[in-house]
Amino acid sequence: LLIFFMMTTTFNKESQLNIDLPEAKGEHSTAAVEVIRIIINNEGEYAINERDRHLINNQLETLKRALKEAAGERKNPPLLISADKKAPHYAVMKAMEAVRDLGFVRLSFEAQQAE
C-alpha cells in the first residue's frame, strides 16, 4: 500500500512551514479532490491545510480537533500526510493515530517527484 500511495500522490506546495519532502518515483495524481493535508515539519510541529498556520500544540487531542474541524460534515474525507523527510517518526505515527481514532480511512502520503 505504501508503494501505491507513493506512486499515486505527488504534490508540491511552497509555504511558510518549511518541509523537505522525501523523493519518490511515480505518476502525478490528476484527481481534483479536496483533501485535508496534515503537514509535519522537521521539528514535529503540525499544521492543517495551510503551512503558515501551526497548531497551538502537538497533543493528540488538538490534532484530532483540528482534523474534525477541517472535515466539517464530510464523513470520510481524503487525508494527505505531508511530512518533512526529517520529521520525527512519532509525529507521523501520532498523525496516523489521530486519523484512525476519528474513523477516517482514506489516507495517503505526499512525496516529491524524484528527478
Side-chain angles (χ1 to χ4, degrees), residues 1 4 6 9 13 31-33 44-47 54 57-58 60-61 64 72 81 83-84 87-88 92 96-97 109 114:
L1 285 175
F4 171 77
M6 289 178 8
T9 56
K13 195 173 187 178
V33 178
E45 297 171 326
Y46 299 101
H54 298 265
N57 59 48
N58 294 338
L60 180 62
E61 290 305 316
K64 288 179 6 182
I81 292 181
D84 188 284
V92 176
M96 293 173 69
E97 181 179 356
F109 292 88

Side-chain angles (χ1 to χ4, degrees), residues 53 66 76 81 86 111:
R53 297 190 61 198
N76 191 21
I81 292 181
K86 294 182 181 177

Side-chain angles (χ1 to χ4, degrees), residues 17-95:
L17 185 63
N18 294 324
I19 60 172
D20 187 14
L21 294 173
E23 293 184 353
K25 293 182 181 180
E27 298 296 320
H28 287 283
S29 175
T30 57
V33 178
E34 185 179 335
V35 299
I36 297 171
R37 180 174 276 120
I38 303 168
I39 303 161
I40 309 169
N41 71 3
N42 63 342
E43 296 175 6
E45 297 171 326
Y46 299 101
I48 303 295
N49 291 332
E50 298 178 33
R51 296 176 193 214
D52 59 342
R53 297 190 61 198
H54 298 265
L55 296 183
I56 294 171
N57 59 48
N58 294 338
Q59 295 179 0
L60 180 62
E61 290 305 316
T62 304
L63 181 57
K64 288 179 6 182
R65 197 170 23 250
L67 287 172
K68 255 180 150 171
E69 184 179 311
E73 296 297 319
R74 296 182 288 173
K75 298 292 183 200
N76 191 21
L79 294 127
L80 182 66
I81 292 181
S82 179
D84 188 284
K85 67 182 177 183
K86 294 182 181 177
H89 180 71
Y90 71 85
V92 176
M93 293 303 294
K94 188 186 293 185

